[in-house]
Amino acid sequence: MQQRRLGPLQVSALGLGCMGMSEFYGSGDEAESIATIHRAVELGVTFLDTADMYGVGRNEELVGRAIADRRDRVVLATKFGNVRGPNGERLGISGKPDYVRQACEASLRRLKVDVIDLYYQHRVDPDTPIEDTVGAMADLVRQGKVRFLGLSEAGPQTIRRAHAVHPIAALQTEYSLWSRDPEDEILPLLRELGIGFVPYSPLGRGFLTGQIRSVDDLAEDDFRRNSPRFQGENFRKNLDLVREIEAMAREKGCAPSQLALAWVLAQGEDIVPIPGTKRRRYLEENVGALDVSLTPEDLARIDRIIPPGAAAGTRYPEAGMRMVGL
């Protein structure tokens, strides 16, 4: 397995997003999810991504069970900040120092580990200075409960201020062929500061795989049904982009998902995408993207057929968009 660096942290070139195993993408199968994590480790995918909000803690518990006998082979990332009640109700965002400490202790318990390798603030709390939040996170590093710190969906000034308090190893943000906003300010800043980049939803929440032809392909409780990019005319326009990807993938002799992932991987050695899946067959397909080589001509062609801003619709509903880039 190819290795890459997120600041000082070495990880597999491709990670595994575990969110969908517990929530948001329809019902899950715990046995298959655990088998998928085991297969990932077997294939050399050692970078696992979860969060305390996924399944209201259930995802961390699942990941903890899956890695119990192979903890030393895994780089474990989790997140705090999106506060939810016991029934899943959303209670806002918190980066308050006391909450940071409480959230970390709860994650350690659910994961059944002594230390979290990479601890992210999931969303920036607009009501708490980032210096206070990262100061509390840095205390966790000094206490040996966390190894490295990360941010998710933070804006340029927040990243710079956070990094001045304690080195930030990685920023996680949505990035794919249909979400290229980080190229403008975020990626240049990360490279200036030596921070690694972890794209989530590198397959456009599954849209870029070509597996979704209609909103009816999604389960009734799938959160993508509420995503602007999966609705009405936006869906039809975005399907045209997928057809372009499919045509090029056929020429390259790979799956559309592999082409889309290969493109993300080709954007820099400091980029480690975390495609999510709860099934072994899609995991294996994703790992195959590491064998897809894109020439400069291929990359230029992709830029022509899917230029920045080509996707129709925002990546979250209005309320979700207000919580990114702070």
Side-chain angles (χ1 to χ4, degrees), residues 110-125:
R110 285 189 292 265
L111 290 161
K112 290 185 169 56
V113 298
D114 298 322
V115 62
I116 294 163
D117 297 312
L118 178 58
Y119 199 41
Y120 294 100
Q121 183 183 23
H122 207 161
R123 290 290 186 273
V124 175
D125 177 358

Side-chain angles (χ1 to χ4, degrees), residues 183-198:
E183 293 173 355
D184 297 333
E185 291 184 83
I186 296 293
L187 269 171
L189 174 62
L190 299 183
R191 285 167 177 159
E192 174 196 332
L193 299 177
I195 299 171
F197 186 44
V198 179

Side-chain angles (χ1 to χ4, degrees), residues 3-244:
Q3 301 292 303
R4 292 190 171 188
R5 298 199 75 83
L6 298 172
L9 183 62
Q10 182 171 301
V11 298
S12 53
L14 201 68
L16 173 62
C18 299
M19 178 184 82
M21 296 175 179
S22 302
E23 196 180 11
F24 300 112
Y25 291 106
S27 60
D29 176 334
E30 185 169 303
E32 177 62 18
S33 293
I34 289 176
T36 300
I37 292 172
H38 288 174
R39 180 65 176 143
V41 176
E42 195 176 278
L43 292 170
V45 176
T46 56
F47 185 40
L48 303 183
D49 182 89
T50 181
D52 60 3
M53 75 162 285
Y54 301 157
V56 197
R58 293 192 308 276
N59 196 244
E60 286 185 327
E61 291 171 350
L62 183 151
V63 171
R65 285 195 296 276
I67 67 169
D69 61 349
R70 59 204 78 196
R71 173 68 180 99
D72 60 339
R73 297 168 63 189
V74 165
V75 177
L76 183 60
T78 192
K79 316 176 201 71
F80 74 92
N82 282 311
V83 188
R84 297 179 72 181
N87 299 314
E89 62 272 32
R90 294 176 185 266
L91 303 178
I93 297 171
S94 180
K96 294 180 174 61
D98 281 349
Y99 181 76
V100 175
R101 289 187 282 272
Q102 293 165 16
C104 180
E105 292 295 344
S107 287
L108 288 167
R109 281 196 304 273
R110 285 189 292 265
L111 290 161
K112 290 185 169 56
V113 298
D114 298 322
V115 62
I116 294 163
D117 297 312
L118 178 58
Y119 199 41
Y120 294 100
Q121 183 183 23
H122 207 161
R123 290 290 186 273
V124 175
D125 177 358
D127 299 322
T128 302
I130 192 65
E131 290 82 0
D132 293 354
T133 303
V134 174
M137 295 168 73
D139 285 342
L140 298 172
V141 175
R142 285 188 283 273
Q143 293 163 17
K145 295 175 180 178
V146 168
R147 292 179 62 214
F148 298 102
L149 304 185
L151 299 174
S152 178
E153 290 286 7
Q157 291 311 311
T158 299
I159 296 167
R160 198 178 284 280
R161 287 167 55 197
H163 194 66
V165 175
H166 186 280
I168 300 298
L171 175 81
Q172 183 174 134
T173 291
E174 185 171 353
Y175 184 55
S176 70
L177 278 171
W178 78 346
S179 294
R180 295 180 60 176
D181 297 347
E183 293 173 355
D184 297 333
E185 291 184 83
I186 296 293
L187 269 171
L189 174 62
L190 299 183
R191 285 167 177 159
E192 174 196 332
L193 299 177
I195 299 171
F197 186 44
V198 179
Y200 72 83
S201 295
L203 296 174
R205 306 189 192 283
F207 203 98
L208 302 177
T209 65
Q211 300 288 322
I212 304 168
R213 295 315 220 189
S214 160
V215 74
D216 294 329
D217 291 334
L218 305 176
E220 287 295 330
D221 59 347
D222 192 309
F223 91 111
R224 290 172 291 187
R225 284 178 173 267
N226 297 315
S227 169
R229 292 186 175 177
F230 285 78
Q231 296 176 340
E233 187 60 25
N234 289 344
F235 189 101
R236 288 186 285 278
K237 288 180 178 177
N238 291 328
L239 208 51
D240 290 338
L241 300 180
V242 172
R243 291 190 181 105
E244 297 279 5

